[in-house]
Amino acid sequence: MTDNDTSMAQPVGAQGGTVPLVLDLDGTLIRTDSLQEQALAFVRRNPFAIFKLIGWVLAGRVALKEQLANAVQLDPEHLPVNEAVVALAQREAATGRKVVLATAAHAETAKAFLQRFPFISEMLATDGKTNLKGKAKAEALAQRFPEGFDYAGDSSADVEVWKRARNAITVGASSGTVRKAKKVSNVIEVIPRTPVLKAFIKCLRPHQWAKNALVVVPAILSGLIIDPANLLPLALAFFALSLTASATYVFNDIWDLQDDRQHWSKRRRPFASGTLSLPAGIAGALVCFIAGLILALLAGPAVLQWVLIYVVVTLTYSLWLKRKVIHDALTLASLFTLRLVVGMVAVAAEPSPWLFVFAMFFFTSLAFAKRHTEIARVIEKGGFWVNGRGYRASDLPLVLAAGISSSVAAVIIMVLYIIEDAHQQSFIKNGDWLWALPPLIFLISSRIWVICQRGELDDDPVVFVVKDKICLAYAAMTGISFFLAWFGVPL
């Protein structure tokens, strides 16, 4: 039988009965770790509870599992399952074969999964004395099933169990673990793992890096972009913001894990879907964060300062402000404006109040478009509250009005900028071309809201703008108009 054979052998014991199929829980039946999920849920309720959690960790693994099992009740319905393992177990159970759950999770935690998976007929789990993992699990299964058993697991700790099993099934295991399993047991099936690097890159949301191109805008509007000496600090500022922002995306996805699993699209994110483990994501995020700070420092102390302010505002948003009506949209807009500030200090450009005020109103409008889409989806599904946010279904007209009024305000600010400031800039040779900007900005905002009202807008309107050909055409015309004004091309 080959390693990838999907058929399941059914060895027969001495007394003629089929040996049971034993499944691990964490990383096997479900694509996550129940203990990590409980720890995250416990801290999410009260971040200061992390000190109590540390005390439980110091008390030992068994004590930790027992305390978390008593403190946090997991909802198995919202945890990602390994469809291949579930299908295998259902197929075997349908033939009359006993399917057993043997897990290192605490018994109180494991019981919650029996109702979700009715094909499980028996359970072995960690109790108040023994951590059912590795050798302890192997001994318990050997005693419980002296005629043999087949075992499906995922980690190197399962090698001890595979030594005592008739047949082994590896689930999402590393290549090294698969090799060890083949040395000690008869591996009848290898269920492959999702590539970690691919999942981590997706978690970093590299497509969002396009937002950080805003760091170049102050250099363009001040005429400093033509100085080659400014290109390196701008590049450093761009990648510093991109890496630190990606690190905060990872933190946000971990913190919002439970909410994302109930969201119509966010449930497909790496953490929510279980394609990326929490430890792997945290380790990768720390590397990105440190690298981003180093690049920011190379760009200059002022850049580092504002990048750190950006991080603080982002974390405050993730922990608190994202659940505050109206405040959340203003915070998102401020994050876009902070990108402009980073670009400004990177090249020591003259601060432009008009630019910052315009950015606040324009990006506030985009933030409200995002919320409008989320509320509309909740209404479509018959819901009342937007999960993880402070909005309710009845807030839809308010969000629509606030979003459109913000976009109109942005156009007005652009008009005032042209009248009061643009013509006074020495590098602007023919400011008449700038009058094309207000109608073009109005067209971009209007298209976003038309698509939003039709229910065709995805979660992120910025991503929509970057991908939409019509918006890109308007943006290109805006850029062309500005450069015609810069070079003084006559009308």
Side-chain angles (χ1 to χ4, degrees):
M1 184 175 297
T2 63
D3 292 341
N4 294 318
D5 189 356
T6 57
S7 62
M8 188 66 191
Q10 297 187 10
V12 178
Q15 297 178 359
T18 302
V19 302
L21 170 62
V22 181
L23 307 176
D24 189 16
L25 176 65
D26 300 325
T28 301
L29 188 56
I30 60 174
R31 293 181 179 272
T32 185
D33 187 291
S34 59
L35 185 65
Q36 295 172 9
E37 296 275 345
Q38 288 174 315
L40 176 61
F42 183 70
V43 174
R44 193 171 184 267
R45 292 177 186 172
N46 178 13
F48 292 104
I50 191 170
F51 298 107
K52 182 181 289 187
L53 182 64
I54 292 173
W56 292 347
V57 171
L58 295 176
R61 200 76 169 176
V62 173
L64 172 65
K65 293 180 179 181
E66 187 164 14
Q67 293 287 357
L68 284 175
N70 294 329
V72 179
Q73 295 296 322
L74 290 180
D75 183 1
E77 294 298 326
H78 292 133
L79 294 179
V81 303
N82 191 314
E83 295 81 1
V85 176
V86 171
L88 172 65
Q90 288 176 332
R91 185 169 67 248
E92 293 303 303
T95 66
R97 189 179 191 189
K98 177 184 286 189
V99 178
V100 179
L101 179 65
T103 175
H106 193 273
E108 291 302 317
T109 300
K111 286 178 183 177
F113 293 88
L114 298 183
Q115 185 174 358
R116 181 177 184 184
F117 303 111
F119 51 77
I120 297 175
S121 57
E122 190 174 334
M123 180 192 79
L124 287 81
T126 294
D127 55 25
K129 297 180 180 180
T130 305
N131 184 26
L132 201 71
K133 186 175 182 178
K135 290 183 179 181
K137 182 187 288 189
E139 291 296 331
L141 288 173
Q143 292 179 15
R144 177 65 186 84
F145 306 112
E147 297 175 4
F149 60 90
D150 294 344
Y151 181 74
D154 66 293
S155 69
S156 58
D158 292 318
V159 173
E160 294 296 331
V161 185
W162 284 319
K163 288 180 181 179
R164 309 293 290 271
R166 291 284 190 93
N167 296 301
I169 304 158
T170 64
V171 182
S174 65
S175 57
T177 299
V178 173
R179 286 194 298 269
K180 291 178 182 178
K182 290 180 177 179
K183 289 180 180 180
V184 300
S185 186
N186 177 37
V187 177
I188 59 173
E189 186 168 358
V190 175
I191 298 177
R193 69 188 311 181
T194 303
V196 176
L197 182 59
K198 181 180 179 181
F200 180 67
I201 291 175
K202 182 179 180 181
C203 197
L204 294 180
R205 305 185 211 173
H207 62 279
Q208 299 281 12
W209 289 17
K211 299 176 182 179
N212 300 320
L214 288 171
V215 300
V216 182
V217 172
I220 294 175
L221 296 181
S222 62
L224 297 174
I225 192 67
I226 60 176
D227 186 353
N230 290 325
L231 298 181
L232 178 59
L234 285 175
L236 291 172
F238 172 83
F239 287 107
L241 262 179
S242 298
L243 290 172
T244 52
S246 288
T248 62
Y249 293 151
V250 173
F251 173 81
N252 180 77
D253 286 355
I254 292 175
W255 193 254
D256 284 352
L257 188 59
Q258 297 174 17
D259 295 329
D260 285 353
R261 285 179 178 148
Q262 301 176 55
H263 192 272
W264 64 277
S265 66
K266 294 179 181 178
R267 65 175 181 267
R268 293 188 289 271
R269 288 179 174 176
F271 291 121
S273 63
T275 55
L276 183 66
S277 70
L278 297 181
I282 292 172
L286 285 175
V287 172
C288 289
F289 182 70
I290 294 172
L293 294 185
I294 292 173
L295 292 178
L297 181 59
L298 292 175
V303 173
L304 176 61
Q305 172 190 330
W306 283 101
V307 167
L308 288 173
I309 291 174
Y310 174 89
V311 171
V312 170
V313 175
T314 301
L315 295 180
T316 304
Y317 170 78
S318 296
L319 293 171
W320 179 48
L321 289 175
K322 73 187 322 177
R323 292 169 179 79
K324 301 297 179 182
V325 174
I326 305 299
H327 295 79
D328 63 330
L330 289 174
T331 305
L332 286 175
S334 70
L335 290 174
F336 283 100
T337 305
L338 283 172
R339 290 175 167 94
L340 295 172
V341 176
V342 170
M344 181 191 71
V345 299
V347 296
E350 191 71 23
S352 173
W354 294 106
L355 173 62
F356 297 144
V357 175
F358 166 79
M360 281 298 299
F361 279 106
F362 182 75
F363 290 112
T364 295
S365 177
L366 297 188
F368 278 124
K370 183 175 183 178
R371 292 293 176 260
H372 186 281
T373 299
E374 293 176 345
I375 297 172
R377 298 282 177 150
V378 169
I379 294 175
E380 287 178 7
K381 296 180 181 295
F384 181 75
W385 288 95
V386 178
N387 196 45
R389 300 291 185 271
Y391 294 90
R392 59 182 70 173
S394 58
D395 292 332
L396 191 66
L398 168 67
V399 171
L400 174 63
I404 293 178
S405 60
S406 296
S407 68
V408 172
V411 174
I412 294 173
I413 295 298
M414 178 57 67
V415 171
L416 294 175
Y417 162 72
I418 295 172
I419 294 173
E420 299 291 338
D421 189 60
H423 288 284
Q424 301 177 21
Q425 298 295 329
S426 60
F427 67 93
I428 297 294
K429 303 300 189 298
N430 186 355
D432 292 339
W433 283 105
L434 298 178
W435 287 111
L437 270 59
L440 287 169
I441 292 169
F442 176 77
L443 288 172
I444 292 174
S445 297
S446 297
R447 175 156 177 79
I448 292 171
W449 279 103
V450 167
I451 298 299
C452 183
Q453 277 293 95
R454 291 175 178 175
E456 300 172 1
L457 185 66
D458 201 353
D459 279 341
D460 196 333
V462 176
V463 175
F464 169 78
V465 171
V466 172
K467 294 182 178 180
D468 182 64
K469 293 181 179 179
I470 296 178
C471 284
L472 288 175
Y474 291 149
M477 293 168 67
T478 301
I480 291 171
S481 299
F482 180 82
F483 282 105
L484 290 174
W486 188 350
F487 292 105
V489 177
L491 285 171

